[in-house]
Amino acid sequence: MKIETIAQIRSAGFAGVLSLVLIAISRSANADPVSELASFSIFDNVDLAQLAKTDVNTAHVASMKNPRFLAVQNCYGGTGSPGQQMEALRRWNPAQHRELKVFLHSDLPSNPGPVNFDRLKNAPGNASVRSFVTATEKLSPELQISKEEAKRFSAAAGGAGVMPPAVVTFWTDVLTARTKSFVSGGMAAEPPYDHAGPSVRASEEMNGLLRDQGKIRQQFSGLLGATGIGRGAGSLSAELYWELLDANDQGVVTLGASYSGSRAGGTY
């Protein structure tokens, strides 16, 4: 069986969100997708007929060695070729689904500038965004930033509104610099989160998460080794984006990168 893989990584600027999403798509009509899925996932006995009638099967992985880590696996069926599935993923905008609480979603070029984060000025005036603004203005210890990044905040920019100019300027600078660091040197080049506590590096956290999931790491090793996930820049180019969203009633800004591995015969 051929498994087509797509990897998505998201690292957050605030409120403790760091996630890795790996998607496997079966391309062979003659293969046994149930056995293949069982070989590396928590879904060891999927009923394909039942799966076709349901939305998404979700299961929590209990055996995580690090108490900070949380692993959840989803299984669902979809129609169409891998190429069509990929294109649908590229077009999908979570901000169009209110239940996901993603307020802003924008694609990014590999060399972004302030204009690419201009939509921060148009953030909605809800409780999550207000908490995000307050945390930024007070340089809350909950902010996932470095000490050097914290020094760049200047309340002198002042201003009012849902997202004051000082807050917009600060996060525009942080997100722009972090995006460029990721493009040039992968997650290993990202500054640590050491603003108000022990130094934490996103690359080390991601590698720890993968170590806890040996079968997943092995299944996707070919793709992961060509990306900037937990390492240097890698040989694959990423599709980049940023988001403003709600996480546990707190406003969060995130950076994300999606990878797809193209192979012979139109597979991914």
Side-chain angles (χ1 to χ4, degrees), residues 26-259:
S26 172
R27 186 172 184 270
S28 173
N30 299 319
D32 179 3
V34 174
S35 296
E36 183 70 20
L37 185 63
S39 71
F40 68 88
S41 78
I42 200 171
F43 299 102
D44 56 2
N45 189 24
V46 172
D47 184 332
L48 292 182
Q50 182 62 30
L51 185 64
K53 300 176 184 178
T54 59
D55 185 12
V56 179
N57 282 355
T58 301
H60 174 251
V61 180
S63 58
M64 301 299 291
K65 297 176 182 178
N66 191 320
R68 292 199 308 273
F69 295 160
L70 174 67
V72 177
Q73 296 183 15
N74 298 318
C75 176
Y76 65 93
T79 59
S81 68
Q84 290 171 325
Q85 293 287 337
M86 281 290 301
E87 186 56 34
L89 285 169
R90 290 189 182 102
R91 293 197 310 266
W92 191 69
N93 184 349
Q96 296 175 355
H97 303 269
R98 294 184 61 184
E99 69 276 13
L100 298 179
K101 297 184 179 181
V102 176
F103 310 127
L104 299 173
H105 172 94
S106 292
D107 293 335
L108 287 171
S110 59
N111 187 29
V115 67
N116 297 113
F117 299 96
D118 216 36
R119 293 184 62 199
L120 273 173
K121 301 174 183 177
N122 302 321
N126 57 41
S128 297
V129 172
R130 288 194 294 271
S131 73
F132 174 74
V133 170
T134 299
T136 303
E137 292 176 330
K138 294 182 177 181
L139 289 179
S140 165
E142 297 297 318
L143 292 176
Q144 289 190 342
I145 55 177
S146 70
K147 292 178 180 178
E148 292 303 312
E149 288 169 333
K151 293 177 182 178
R152 300 177 198 166
F153 181 74
S154 174
V162 173
M163 191 73 77
V167 176
V168 172
T169 298
F170 174 72
W171 283 109
T172 294
D173 290 346
V174 169
L175 296 175
T176 298
R178 283 187 173 264
T179 302
K180 291 181 178 180
S181 293
F182 180 79
V183 171
S184 63
M187 290 190 76
E190 294 288 355
Y193 300 139
D194 62 358
H195 158 55
S199 179
V200 175
R201 288 194 173 274
S203 59
E204 295 173 0
E205 294 288 282
M206 189 59 67
N207 287 330
L209 181 62
L210 287 169
R211 280 194 299 270
D212 267 11
Q213 297 292 295
K215 291 183 179 179
I216 296 290
R217 182 180 58 180
Q218 181 178 359
Q219 177 69 28
F220 295 94
S221 60
L223 179 64
L224 289 169
T227 71
I229 299 173
R231 52 191 298 137
S235 58
L236 283 178
S237 296
E239 296 179 38
L240 308 168
Y241 64 89
W242 70 272
E243 291 176 347
L244 171 66
L245 53 88
D246 173 282
N248 298 323
D249 299 323
Q250 297 286 332
V252 176
V253 284
T254 75
L255 291 171
S258 297
Y259 291 93

